[in-house]
C-alpha cells in the first residue's frame, strides 16, 4: 500500500520541516504580542446633546426660533454629520452627530468648537431662552453586578428570581416573600 505519508516526508525533508516549525513559532509569538491588552478598550463617542428651554413657547416656536438656528451653526463644524432634534412646548433636545470617520483625537476640539458656536449664537436667540446647555460627557461607564444566593433551592427557582429582578427596576436589594423565599436573597 503506497500513499502519501506526511511523517516520512517530514523526516526526509528536515530543513523544510525545521523552517516551517520556526515560521509557525515566530508567527505565533508575533500574533501574541499584537493582542489587545486593555481591560476596558477605549472608544470615542462622537455625539453631543444640546438642550434649550424657553418657558411658554410652543413646540413650533422652539423649532423655528431656537432649534433651527442652533442646527445651522452646528453645520459649520468640520466633521459635522447630522443633527436630530425633538421639540416640545418650552424645550428642544438636539443631538449632534460627528462623522464616523472623525479621528478620535479631533473629537474634543470639535466639541469645543461646537460650544463656542452655540455660545456665539445664544445672544441671538429670543429673549427668555435658557441655554443652550451642552452635554458631551458620555465616556463614563457604570454597571451593577448582582449575585443570587439560593442555599438548597432548585436551579429553576433561582433562574426565575434572577429574571424577575432583571426585568424590574434593579432597586431591590433583598426579596423575601415567604418561608421558601427567605433563603433566596440578592446579595
Amino acid at each position: 500500500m503506497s500513499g502519501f505519508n506526511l511523517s516520512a516526508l517530514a523526516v526526509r525533508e528536515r530543513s523544510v520541516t525545521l523552517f516551517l516549525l520556526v515560521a509557525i513559532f515566530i508567527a505565533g509569538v508575533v500574533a501574541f504580542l499584537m493582542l489587545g491588552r486593555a481591560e476596558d478598550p477605549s472608544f470615542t463617542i462622537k455625539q453631543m446633546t444640546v438642550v434649550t428651554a424657553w418657558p411658554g413657547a410652543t413646540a413650533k416656536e422652539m423649532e423655528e426660533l431656537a432649534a433651527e438656528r442652533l442646527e445651522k451653526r452646528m453645520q459649520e463644524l468640520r466633521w459635522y454629520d447630522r443633527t436630530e432634534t425633538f421639540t416640545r412646548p418650552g424645550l428642544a433636545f438636539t443631538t449632534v452627530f460627528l462623522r464616523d470617520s472623525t479621528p478620535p483625537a479631533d473629537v474634543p476640539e470639535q466639541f469645543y468648537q461646537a460650544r463656542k458656536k452655540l455660545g456665539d449664537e445664544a445672544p441671538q436667540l429670543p429673549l427668555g431662552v435658557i441655554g443652550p446647555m451642552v452635554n458631551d460627557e458620555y465616556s463614563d461607564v457604570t454597571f451593577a453586578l448582582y449575585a443570587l444566593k439560593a442555599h438548597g433551592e432548585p436551579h429553576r427557582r433561582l433562574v426565575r428570581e434572577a429574571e424577575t429582578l432583571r426585568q424590574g427596576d434593579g432597586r431591590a436589594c433583598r426579596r423575601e416573600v415567604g418561608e421558601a423565599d427567605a433563603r433566596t436573597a440578592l446579595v
Side-chain angles (χ1 to χ4, degrees), residues 10-157:
V11 170
R12 200 172 51 241
E13 302 293 335
R14 287 184 175 170
S15 59
V16 173
T17 304
L18 184 60
F19 171 76
L20 288 175
L21 284 174
V22 170
I24 291 171
F25 177 77
I26 290 173
V29 169
V30 169
F32 176 75
L33 294 175
M34 300 298 287
L35 285 174
R37 288 184 175 66
E39 181 179 339
D40 296 325
S42 62
F43 56 91
T44 305
I45 297 176
K46 300 171 183 174
Q47 68 185 41
M48 63 188 290
T49 57
V50 181
V51 179
T52 310
W54 187 9
T58 65
K60 186 172 177 131
E61 290 174 329
M62 286 300 302
E63 179 183 353
E64 293 175 353
L65 300 176
E68 284 184 4
R69 296 174 107 175
L70 299 176
E71 287 177 356
K72 286 180 182 171
R73 287 304 301 259
M74 292 297 93
Q75 291 174 6
E76 299 171 7
L77 293 171
R78 178 175 179 217
W79 295 100
Y80 173 83
D81 183 28
R82 70 183 191 281
T83 56
E84 294 176 3
T85 302
F86 168 75
T87 58
R88 60 182 231 189
L91 288 172
F93 302 94
T94 303
T95 304
V96 180
F97 295 88
L98 299 179
R99 280 185 256 160
D100 289 337
S101 60
T102 306
D106 288 356
V107 172
E109 175 63 23
Q110 289 298 294
F111 287 164
Y112 173 71
Q113 290 299 323
R115 285 179 187 274
K116 282 181 31 181
K117 290 178 186 309
L118 291 170
D120 290 346
E121 191 64 30
Q124 311 307 320
L125 296 174
L127 190 62
V129 171
I130 302 168
M133 296 164 277
V134 179
N135 180 14
D136 61 4
E137 297 182 14
Y138 293 102
S139 60
D140 293 336
V141 178
T142 58
F143 68 94
L145 177 65
Y146 297 98
L148 288 174
K149 259 167 80 173
H151 300 290
E153 293 295 322
H155 181 69
R156 69 179 180 276
R157 184 180 187 96

